[in-house]
């Protein structure tokens, strides 16, 4: 698995213990452990935590579907995730799965534990919920993302009118559940008409590691087009309000330099940027 695309979770001082919690449950490992940045792997998939303060709270607009192969595996993950958390849908049998539950764990991360088919190598699949002004736009979002990213495709699409666990209050042409890939990384998505008290925010973002400035420019400009908004340090919001971090691999290389003075100069240069410009980072490194 390339791990060039992965989710980033925003925490307020509890990120280190949360990373340990997740790696204990799923059998993963912590690969970077600092006071601010924690990287960990679950089933070979990279995930990132920022211990960045109280500004943003994670919510169920982005949840993580765990694809399990046996009922026992569902139970194994469900019990610790639900302990101290909030159950959103009780663990049980549903039209779409013989064993399924939806839970917000004690750290505010939302999980859907699902008995069903695995998506190739990827066992944990970020699931995007299109609500409020975005309701009905799941298909548009999939079409946009798969157009922007290479190696992308839209997979199965189930609409509310297709008769599987049909919700009478939902628009029949809206997406009940769909799968798409960007650069080989799987996502699920859905429309939802319920008036939830949350929406996409910076609490959960998607990081994309780029190879060069051309790729950085393409992704930045394409994602921000049509109503998106630039933020700082490589962060942006697309037209649907979803947060992305477009990060050149060169930035990580320069920031990991053994000379702390040089890495600090790179950090200072990056902190003043919106879109990250590699030549400006290199100039700061050499100055």
């Amino acid at each position: 698995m390339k791990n060039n695309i992965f989710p980033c979770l925003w925490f307020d001082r509890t990120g280190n213990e949360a990373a340990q919690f997740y790696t204990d449950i799923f059998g993963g490992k912590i690969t970077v452990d600092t006071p601010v940045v924690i990287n960990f792997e679950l089933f070979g998939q990279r995930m990132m935590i920022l211990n960045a303060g109280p500004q943003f709270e994670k919510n169920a607009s982005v949840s993580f579907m765990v694809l399990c192969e046996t009922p026992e595996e569902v139970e194994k993950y469900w019990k610790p995730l639900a302990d101290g958390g909030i159950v959103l849908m009780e663990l049980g049998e549903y039209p779409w799965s013989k064993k399924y539950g939806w839970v917000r764990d004690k750290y505010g991360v939302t999980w859907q534990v699902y008995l069903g088919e695995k998506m190739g190598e990827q066992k944990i699949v970020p699931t995007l919920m299109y609500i409020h002004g975005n309701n009905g736009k799941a298909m548009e979002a999939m079409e946009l993302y798969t157009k922007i990213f290479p190696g992308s495709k839209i997979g199965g699409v189930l609409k509310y009118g297709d008769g599987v666990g049909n919700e009478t209050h939902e628009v029949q042409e809206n997406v009940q559940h769909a799968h798409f890939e960007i650069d080989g990384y799987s996502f699920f998505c859905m429309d939802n008409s319920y008036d939830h008290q949350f929406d996409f925010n910076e609490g959960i973002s998607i990081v994309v590691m780029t190879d060069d400035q051309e790729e950085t420019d393409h992704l930045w400009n394409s994602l921000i087009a049509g109503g998106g908004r630039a933020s700082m340090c490589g962060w942006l919001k697309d037209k649907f309000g979803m947060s992305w971090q477009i990060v050149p691999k060169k930035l990580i290389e320069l920031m990991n330099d053994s000379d702390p003075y040089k890495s600090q100069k790179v950090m200072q240069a990056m902190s003043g940027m919106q879109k990250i410009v590699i030549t400006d980072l290199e100039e700061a490194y050499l100055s």
Side-chain angles (χ1 to χ4, degrees), residues 125-143:
V125 182
T127 303
L128 313 181
M129 186 191 303
Y130 291 84
I131 54 181
H132 304 139
N134 284 326
N135 186 37
K137 296 182 180 179
M139 182 60 73
E140 178 187 346
M142 287 192 291
E143 291 171 347

Side-chain angles (χ1 to χ4, degrees), residues 233-251:
C233 305
W235 287 69
L236 65 86
K237 285 192 174 188
D238 66 27
K239 63 187 291 186
F240 308 104
M242 185 67 199
S243 291
W244 300 79
Q245 299 182 55
I246 310 302
V247 182
K249 295 174 184 175
K250 189 67 175 181
L251 170 64

Side-chain angles (χ1 to χ4, degrees), residues 3 18 31 37-38 40 45 47 69 72 125 139 163 198 201 203 205 246 248-249 258 273 276 281 285:
N3 279 331
T31 56
V37 178
I38 305 100
F40 61 105
Q45 295 175 230
M47 300 182 77
E69 298 179 38
E72 292 75 20
V125 182
M139 182 60 73
F198 55 79
N201 69 9
S205 58
I246 310 302
K249 295 174 184 175
S258 58
M273 298 178 183
I276 296 176
L281 296 178
Y285 175 83

Side-chain angles (χ1 to χ4, degrees), residues 3-8 39 46-48 185 205-207 209:
N3 279 331
N4 287 335
I5 300 176
F6 51 91
C8 176
N39 287 343
R46 183 176 177 182
M47 300 182 77
M48 178 179 176
Y185 185 81
S205 58
I206 301 299
V207 181
M209 304 297 298

Side-chain angles (χ1 to χ4, degrees), residues 74-75 78 87 89-102 113-115:
V74 174
E75 291 278 359
W78 175 264
V87 173
M89 292 183 70
E90 293 286 350
L91 185 65
E93 182 174 343
Y94 293 88
W96 56 88
S97 176
K98 293 288 186 182
K99 203 170 188 67
Y100 167 91
W102 195 338
V113 188
Y114 173 87
L115 178 61

Side-chain angles (χ1 to χ4, degrees), residues 181-201:
E181 294 181 9
I182 58 172
D183 197 18
Y185 185 81
S186 283
F187 290 84
F188 293 141
C189 69
M190 59 189 292
D191 289 308
N192 191 297
S193 298
Y194 189 78
D195 186 23
H196 295 286
Q197 300 303 304
F198 55 79
D199 213 332
F200 294 137
N201 69 9

Side-chain angles (χ1 to χ4, degrees), residues 145 148-149 201-202 204-206 208 216-225 227-247 274-276:
Y145 299 149
I148 290 172
F149 287 85
N201 69 9
E202 291 87 342
I204 300 180
S205 58
I206 301 299
V208 185
T216 301
D217 291 348
H218 165 68
L219 295 180
W220 180 274
N221 295 336
S222 300
L223 286 168
I224 215 166
R229 180 166 58 85
S231 187
M232 299 301 293
C233 305
W235 287 69
L236 65 86
K237 285 192 174 188
D238 66 27
K239 63 187 291 186
F240 308 104
M242 185 67 199
S243 291
W244 300 79
Q245 299 182 55
I246 310 302
V247 182
Q274 291 187 320
K275 179 182 71 178
I276 296 176

